[in-house]
Structure formats: C-alpha cells, structure tokens
Amino acid sequence: MSHLYKCLAFSCLFLITLFAVNSMAEELLTFRSELNQTRYQSLVEELRCPKCQNQNLADSNSSIAIDLRKQVYLMIESGKSDQEIVDYMVARYGEFVLYRPSYSSATYLLWYGPFAFLVLGLMAFIMVLVTNKKKVRTSL
C-alpha cells in the first residue's frame, strides 16, 4: 500500500512540474534577420494587451497576448511594415492597444485634459489665497 501512495505522489508531482514548466516556457522564435527581431521586440513592447489593463504584449502571459505575439511575428516575417502591423492591431482592437494614442479630435481630452485640470487647479488655489488674504486684512 505504501508503495502505491509513493507512486501516486510521484506521478502527481511529475504532472504538476510538467504543467508548470510548460506554462512558463518562453516562446522561441527564429527571425530571418536581426532587424526583424529588433522590430518584433519594439512592437510587442509598444502594443498593449487587450485583456490586461496595463501590460504590454511582451510582459503579458494571457492567451490573447501569446496569440498576438505570434501574429506580430508572422506579420514581420511576411514583410509587413511596422505601421501596417500597428494599423492591423488598431483596426482589430481599437486605440486601446496603443500606449501612445494618435493625435486626433477624439483624443484632445486625453492629450490636453491634464493641462486643463492643472490650470483650473492653479486658478482655484490663487482664488482661495486672494480671498483668504482679504479676510485676514479685514479682520485686523
């Protein structure tokens, strides 16, 4: 009986190790040139994973990120330009996949919103200072 438990425990440990190694295995991609490999690295670091909130394709381990890394690899090796690859990803997943969205009328708030809030905050701060200064003078 003891031998059966040891075999069962060893089999379970072996399967767990096998699955862990399989899930942590990195993709081994062979590129036709060093330039293609550099382009690949640049693109997967610049494109955001559609499933993950704030991870790029290179850092994400989600299944969609793995599929998109393969897609980027295949497109690079088939001769597509970086812009064609980015356009494909944007057409399929929207501007969300870009860490640096394009400059358009739809993204004005994204580009200028922080500055507008900063100016409004400074104006409110100055108004509070001025009104408090007047209150201090009148109370003396």
Side-chain angles (χ1 to χ4, degrees):
M1 205 57 148
S2 171
H3 181 65
L4 180 63
Y5 287 124
K6 286 181 183 179
C7 285
L8 185 59
F10 179 74
S11 298
C12 288
L13 184 62
F14 176 75
L15 288 173
I16 289 170
T17 305
L18 182 66
F19 286 122
V21 168
N22 187 30
S23 68
M24 292 188 316
E26 283 190 34
E27 303 166 36
L28 297 176
L29 303 173
T30 54
F31 293 90
R32 284 188 281 169
S33 70
E34 186 72 29
L35 176 64
N36 283 357
Q37 185 172 5
T38 305
R39 287 179 53 213
Y40 173 82
Q41 271 315 115
S42 175
L43 282 168
V44 296
E45 288 173 1
E46 286 293 320
L47 293 170
R48 185 180 306 195
C49 174
K51 182 178 180 182
C52 306
Q53 286 294 317
N54 206 17
Q55 280 187 317
N56 59 25
L57 291 180
D59 294 337
S60 176
N61 289 326
S62 70
S63 58
I64 192 163
I66 293 168
D67 291 342
L68 290 178
R69 285 193 299 261
K70 288 177 187 174
Q71 184 67 34
V72 169
Y73 168 75
L74 293 173
M75 292 176 84
I76 286 175
E77 289 297 307
S78 70
K80 302 279 185 191
S81 71
D82 290 358
Q83 190 59 48
E84 288 175 316
I85 295 170
V86 168
D87 290 344
Y88 169 80
M89 294 294 178
V90 169
R92 189 160 185 193
Y93 298 102
E95 294 257 340
F96 175 78
V97 296
L98 300 176
Y99 272 114
R100 288 179 272 165
S102 63
Y103 185 76
S104 68
S105 61
T107 59
Y108 281 148
L109 185 61
L110 178 66
W111 287 105
Y112 297 117
F115 299 112
F117 284 120
L118 179 65
V119 168
L120 289 173
L122 285 173
M123 288 172 49
F125 180 71
I126 290 170
M127 288 177 63
V128 167
L129 285 178
V130 168
T131 55
N132 282 339
K133 192 173 184 179
K134 286 180 183 178
K135 286 180 184 178
V136 170
R137 282 186 182 171
T138 59
S139 66
L140 290 177

